[in-house]
Amino acid sequence: MPKAMTLNVRVTGRLGDFVAANVAEDGVYENVSEYVRDLIRRDMERAEGDAFHRLKAELQMAFSLADDSFQPLDAETVIARGRARAAR
């Protein structure tokens, strides 16, 4: 299980007012920690959705190409390309 992390964040002005409006008696969240966890989860979902849409666009482009534009690759080449992209 991942180690718990404690974050200290200071918000003032409009940001503080917005957080306060979403937390407590009238807000949707019981406390600021619950609110922040929900924001992080939503951001993770957005990032995963963005990655999915990039992959989908690449696949659609690839599948629209003529079959003779493809060249065979062995597994080692594919793995090496994946590692090179991950290192960027």
Side-chain angles (χ1 to χ4, degrees):
M1 177 167 222
K3 183 178 174 183
M5 179 187 298
T6 300
L7 303 172
N8 294 310
V9 178
R10 181 181 187 125
V11 292
T12 59
R14 290 179 58 205
L15 291 177
D17 293 342
F18 187 79
V19 170
N22 283 286
V23 177
E25 293 177 19
D26 296 333
V28 177
Y29 302 96
E30 290 185 28
N31 56 57
V32 174
S33 292
E34 181 184 338
Y35 184 32
V36 171
R37 283 191 295 271
D38 187 51
L39 290 172
I40 293 168
R41 284 187 198 99
R42 290 178 190 216
D43 195 41
M44 285 174 58
E45 289 173 1
R46 180 205 49 79
E48 290 168 356
D50 290 349
F52 172 77
H53 290 296
R54 283 192 304 273
L55 175 61
K56 183 177 175 182
E58 284 186 39
L59 290 172
Q60 286 174 331
M61 183 182 71
F63 286 127
S64 70
L65 298 173
D67 286 345
D68 61 357
S69 65
F70 294 98
Q71 47 185 299
L73 298 173
D74 57 29
E76 290 81 17
T77 304
V78 173
I79 292 168
R81 284 183 180 181
R83 287 184 178 146
R85 285 188 180 178
R88 289 187 217 165

